[in-house]
Amino acid sequence: MSCVREAKKLHARIVKTKGSWHSDNSSILSLYTNLNLYQDSILLFRSLRSPPPLAWSSIIKCYTFHGFFHHSFSSFSQMRALGIRPNRHVFPSLLKACTLLKDFYLGQSLHACILRLGFDFDLYTANALMNMYSKFHGLWGCAGKVLDGLSERGKANCSTMVAVTMNIDNVRKVFDRMPVRDVVSWSTVIAGNAQNGMYEEALALVREMARAHLKPDAYTLSSILPIFAEHADLIKGKEIHGYAIRNGLDADVFIGSSLIDMYAKCTRVEYSLRSFYLLPKRDAISWNSIIAGSVQNGKFDQGLMFFRQMLKDKVKPMHVSFSSVIPACAHLTTLSLGKQIHGYIIRIGFDDNKFIASSLMDMYAKCGNIKMARYIFDKIEANDMVSWTAIIMGCAMHGHALDAVFFFEQMLMDGVEPNYVAFMAVLTACSHAGLVDEAWKYFYSMEQEFGITPGLEHYAAVADLLGRAGRLEEAYDFICRMRVQPTGSVWSTLLAACRAHKNVELAEKVLDKIILVDPENIGAYILMSNIYSSAQRWKDASKLRTYMRKKGLKKTPACSWIEVGNKVHTFTAGDKSHPYYDKINEALYVLLEQMEKEGYVLDTSEALHDVDEEHKRDLLLTHSERLAIAFGIISTPAGTTIRVIKNIRVCVDCHTAIKFIAKIVNREIIVRDNSRFHHFKNGSCSCGDYW
């Protein structure tokens, strides 16, 4: 404020002693512009009778800084119409305006003007040109031909230019013709190469910069650190970190954020944490980096903890902050926390952001609330590929296959081309509903109509579909004919189908295939053991389990969890450790009596142990999902929806039992197993007993 007061005092003194139209007022205008005094700058400029080049460059800079880009170009046109030659300060502002307007062709025209007026050798103008071209990432233009004709400047003619020179080439051409380069010049061309994925070229330029006796600054280092993050090159990343420390740059917030990101992508989150805590001052970018780094490395609770701390420190989240926080809620299936974050997003006015909306849809779908996901989708005015894919995948997970297919077809009608993930989603939906003909149509259209080569996920979805439909031999032949090497997970979909359809002979062939490509696949051994047990081949099951023990392969115990009162409660089969176990057990037996009156009969064939019937009965009654559901019933008000997550497939008997329970307690019970959601209501399940 003191600078503003002094500037206005100086202006008043000039007006008082020399008059309102004195040439010194142009200098005052420049001062006002540098102090970002918009109204004062405009009034002073309009008071000038014949503004000199300095005044024009100042007002153009003022308009650009305040976002009035069209006024910048209008002033430039007026200046040229009056026959006033621009000075070297005009073009950096205009080039910045082009960049912010994202008007590539206007930038080309301006570049041609710079060439004609001979400002292409000016250091600041050339730096601004490089910055403009590097920001137009992915666009194509004809500026390369302008640059190629520099030796015959007078012959340059935009009408004869030919398109298709990549912008990064234009950056390099401007750079190569600069008679003098400063650190900004080098940093801009290095960053341009790095942002366009030309990592080797960027690193070569860093070495050239050192030979030119110029030291990289914070911007240079923050541009090259993502290269090592992309390639997970921890050693070179540490070398840059060491250079930053030796030159006192490690406290810079941009360097710090880049280091956090680099270490996280190299899976060294502990180094990310050190870099974060060593920053003397943290901005939204550094907070976003540590949150994203935590979530990307599976440390979801840690990511959410940092998000809470960021809010406590009064740092306002950016749009990108939520692209990490919302998926963390989805992975942890913490619906209550997800709702709180959604409420906060609405309060700060970010709910109209498409990327955030798509993340919210995904979170609600994964947390079992597909209705809310549909509500958010319907509120989006113009859906893009991300939002379409999110709703299709959400419907697929919840067994709403016909809805998923409808949305996929609607997306095509809206002119949005499906991508790799969209096809994965619609094929998964077809698999969950047995839509064989539709699945084949989509599978073949991927390559024939959209040029997308099917990947392992697409092959696995089709194999799963054929297996669920009982077409086991067809599924086996399909996997054998895959154009990519099938993995253990692809074969495992068929092994699961062999169990469902009790085909022991084919299951043994499939297990041999799995052992060849993935000998440590514990899930395959357990599945095969269960197949033997279902066929009452107890000796074969015992041999397989003995083999697993000798190899040190341990089964992951079946586990279910439920969120009640903002706390997640975990249960394992036969678990008696919960403080409410007695009440849970009592509730289960009360329910069993009512279920048996309704016609429920325990299916002990699902108890895959060579024990007596009574023991099998006890084992089934204490499956983890039953314990979680019983706890939910006794811990929540009547009518509350119960949401349970299970880490493996729900067994047939539990599936039948939960249908009876949902009808008796008159509640909706949503169970997510390792492949899909089951919505139990009024004695039926959304999967139609096809899962």
Side-chain angles (χ1 to χ4, degrees):
M1 291 297 293
S2 60
C3 291
V4 173
R5 282 196 299 271
E6 291 302 319
K8 290 192 173 184
K9 283 180 184 178
L10 179 61
H11 185 197
R13 194 175 300 121
I14 290 171
V15 171
K16 188 175 181 180
T17 57
K18 300 181 181 179
S20 301
W21 299 283
H22 195 274
S23 60
D24 285 351
N25 281 316
S26 295
S27 301
I28 295 297
L29 175 58
S30 177
L31 187 58
Y32 280 168
T33 301
N34 290 330
L35 291 171
N36 303 323
L37 300 175
Y38 177 73
Q39 289 295 340
D40 295 285
S41 299
I42 298 298
L43 290 171
L44 181 53
F45 179 77
R46 288 174 180 170
S47 72
L48 299 176
R49 287 179 175 175
S50 299
L54 175 61
W56 284 104
S57 65
S58 297
I59 201 62
I60 289 169
K61 180 182 177 182
C62 177
Y63 280 134
T64 299
F65 179 84
H66 289 279
F68 299 107
F69 308 126
H70 294 293
H71 287 318
S72 298
F73 284 100
S74 174
S75 298
F76 179 68
S77 298
Q78 290 176 43
M79 178 185 182
R80 298 289 288 146
L82 292 169
I84 300 170
R85 180 181 171 84
N87 62 20
R88 60 195 290 268
H89 301 291
V90 169
F91 291 105
S93 298
L94 293 172
L95 290 165
K96 181 181 178 181
C98 285
T99 306
L100 294 171
L101 283 170
K102 299 179 182 178
D103 193 330
F104 182 65
Y105 297 106
L106 182 59
Q108 288 178 339
S109 300
L110 195 58
H111 189 179
C113 183
I114 289 167
L115 293 175
R116 287 195 299 273
L117 295 172
F119 284 109
D120 48 301
F121 291 134
D122 175 68
L123 176 63
Y124 300 107
T125 302
N127 283 344
L129 266 173
M130 288 195 295
N131 180 64
M132 180 190 73
Y133 282 126
S134 67
K135 294 286 173 64
F136 283 121
H137 175 49
L139 291 175
W140 299 79
C142 61
K145 290 292 176 178
V146 178
L147 294 160
D148 289 339
L150 272 173
S151 57
E152 297 179 73
R153 184 177 304 167
K155 297 181 180 179
N157 188 337
C158 216
S159 64
T160 62
M161 299 175 194
V162 181
V164 299
T165 301
M166 274 199 74
N167 291 316
I168 191 58
D169 292 338
N170 299 334
V171 173
R172 187 58 196 256
K173 286 176 181 177
V174 173
F175 179 79
D176 287 341
R177 286 168 172 79
M178 290 176 69
V180 178
R181 301 165 188 149
D182 61 4
V183 173
V184 174
S185 315
W186 284 96
S187 297
T188 304
V189 73
I190 289 166
N193 278 277
Q195 289 161 9
N196 284 272
M198 301 170 71
Y199 302 129
E200 292 302 323
E201 291 84 348
L203 292 174
L205 282 163
V206 173
R207 289 188 283 270
E208 275 188 57
M209 183 179 182
R211 287 195 291 271
H213 305 294
L214 285 171
K215 283 187 175 183
D217 62 4
Y219 179 71
T220 317
L221 296 186
S222 62
S223 299
I224 59 174
L225 276 168
I227 299 173
F228 307 125
E230 188 72 25
H231 291 282
D233 193 333
L234 184 62
I235 302 300
K236 287 184 179 176
K238 281 184 172 182
E239 288 178 12
I240 296 297
H241 192 177
Y243 176 89
I245 292 170
R246 290 192 301 275
N247 289 274
L249 298 172
D250 55 315
D252 181 90
V253 71
F254 295 107
I255 295 290
S257 300
S258 298
L259 285 168
I260 293 164
D261 181 62
M262 184 271 295
Y263 283 128
K265 286 179 177 171
C266 292
T267 68
R268 301 304 294 267
V269 188
E270 66 276 19
Y271 291 162
S272 293
L273 289 171
R274 287 184 198 174
S275 300
F276 177 76
Y277 286 126
L278 285 170
L279 282 173
K281 188 178 180 182
R282 300 164 194 140
D283 63 359
I285 296 171
S286 51
W287 280 104
N288 289 338
S289 297
I290 195 63
I291 292 167
S294 299
V295 172
Q296 288 160 11
N297 284 274
K299 297 182 180 293
F300 306 114
D301 286 313
Q302 180 176 287
L304 290 169
M305 180 271 290
F306 277 120
F307 180 73
R308 292 190 192 98
Q309 191 60 49
M310 178 175 73
L311 297 183
K312 284 182 182 177
D313 285 5
K314 308 296 183 186
V315 178
K316 186 179 178 181
M318 300 159 60
H319 290 93
V320 72
S321 307
F322 297 100
S323 63
S324 298
V325 175
I326 298 171
C329 294
H331 281 283
L332 294 172
T333 60
T334 53
L335 182 60
S336 60
L337 182 58
K339 285 180 175 179
Q340 290 175 37
I341 290 173
H342 187 186
Y344 180 74
I345 288 166
I346 292 170
R347 287 196 299 275
I348 62 175
F350 282 179
D351 52 316
D352 60 347
N353 181 280
K354 286 184 184 178
F355 296 105
I356 291 176
S358 297
S359 294
L360 284 169
M361 286 161 53
D362 180 65
M363 182 273 294
Y364 277 116
K366 286 178 178 173
C367 290
N369 195 338
I370 189 64
K371 289 180 182 177
M372 194 63 189
R374 288 282 297 268
Y375 172 77
I376 294 170
F377 176 80
D378 291 337
K379 282 186 67 180
I380 300 173
E381 290 184 8
N383 288 291
D384 58 6
M385 171 51 58
V386 179
S387 55
W388 279 112
T389 303
I391 196 62
I392 294 166
M393 185 62 85
C395 290
M397 282 193 296
H398 285 265
H400 301 169
L402 295 178
D403 287 341
V405 170
F406 168 79
F407 281 126
F408 188 86
E409 293 294 337
Q410 190 64 47
M411 177 181 69
L412 297 179
M413 288 174 62
D414 282 5
V416 179
E417 281 206 3
N419 62 8
Y420 187 97
V421 180
F423 274 109
M424 193 170 76
V426 76
L427 288 171
T428 300
C430 292
S431 170
H432 286 171
L435 305 176
V436 179
D437 293 336
E438 289 85 348
W440 281 124
K441 181 186 78 171
Y442 293 130
F443 183 77
Y444 288 124
S445 72
M446 283 181 67
E447 202 157 16
Q448 293 172 3
E449 295 182 36
F450 300 100
I452 300 171
T453 304
L456 284 168
E457 297 90 348
H458 306 103
Y459 282 109
V462 174
D464 184 46
L465 167 74
L466 295 171
R468 288 174 191 266
R471 295 157 69 162
L472 302 180
E473 292 295 340
E474 187 179 348
Y476 183 86
D477 293 338
F478 174 75
I479 296 173
C480 289
R481 295 196 310 271
M482 281 173 57
R483 282 186 284 175
V484 292
Q485 175 71 33
T487 60
S489 61
V490 175
W491 283 113
S492 292
T493 61
L494 181 53
L495 189 62
C498 289
R499 181 193 174 188
H501 295 282
K502 300 181 178 6
N503 191 326
V504 182
E505 185 181 345
L506 182 59
E508 290 175 327
K509 286 171 62 178
V510 172
L511 181 64
D512 290 338
K513 294 285 190 182
I514 294 173
I515 291 170
L516 281 174
V517 296
D518 189 4
E520 304 297 314
N521 190 324
I522 187 170
Y525 292 111
I526 292 167
L527 259 177
M528 192 69 233
S529 174
N530 291 341
I531 290 168
Y532 282 139
S533 297
S534 294
Q536 297 190 344
R537 289 172 56 174
W538 304 112
K539 287 185 179 178
D540 290 322
S542 179
K543 281 181 186 177
L544 199 54
R545 289 182 184 276
T546 302
Y547 174 75
M548 287 168 59
R549 280 194 295 272
K550 285 181 179 177
K551 288 200 71 176
L553 299 173
K554 292 184 179 180
K555 176 185 175 182
T556 303
C559 176
S560 298
W561 55 97
I562 181 172
E563 186 181 2
V564 175
N566 295 330
K567 183 180 178 183
V568 176
H569 298 258
T570 306
F571 298 87
T572 55
D575 187 6
K576 296 182 181 181
S577 63
H578 197 279
Y580 290 122
Y581 173 73
D582 291 336
K583 290 183 179 180
I584 292 168
N585 199 38
E586 183 184 345
L588 283 172
Y589 275 98
V590 170
L591 283 168
L592 181 60
E593 285 182 9
Q594 294 177 278
M595 288 157 61
E596 288 177 336
K597 287 178 184 177
E598 294 279 340
Y600 168 68
V601 179
L602 270 164
D603 182 4
T604 55
S605 66
E606 287 294 308
L608 304 174
H609 298 274
D610 189 12
V611 294
D612 58 52
E613 287 296 308
E614 189 62 31
H615 194 180
K616 287 182 179 180
R617 178 185 173 89
D618 290 340
L619 288 170
L620 283 172
L621 290 174
T622 56
H623 274 191
S624 63
E625 59 267 50
R626 296 198 193 203
L627 297 173
I629 289 168
F631 175 69
I633 291 169
I634 65 174
S635 304
T636 57
T640 305
T641 298
I642 294 171
R643 292 182 170 85
V644 172
I645 312 295
K646 187 174 184 182
N647 64 339
I648 62 172
R649 185 178 185 269
V650 175
C651 77
V652 173
D653 183 68
C654 284
H655 191 269
T656 302
I658 299 168
K659 287 193 286 185
F660 278 95
I661 293 170
K663 183 179 180 182
I664 289 165
V665 300
N666 193 27
R667 298 203 199 191
E668 182 177 11
I669 300 174
I670 301 171
V671 179
R672 174 185 174 182
D673 64 13
N674 63 348
S675 63
R676 67 179 295 164
F677 279 90
H678 300 265
H679 293 251
F680 298 93
K681 195 173 183 179
N682 299 325
S684 62
C685 179
S686 59
C687 72
D689 298 337
Y690 187 92
W691 89 103

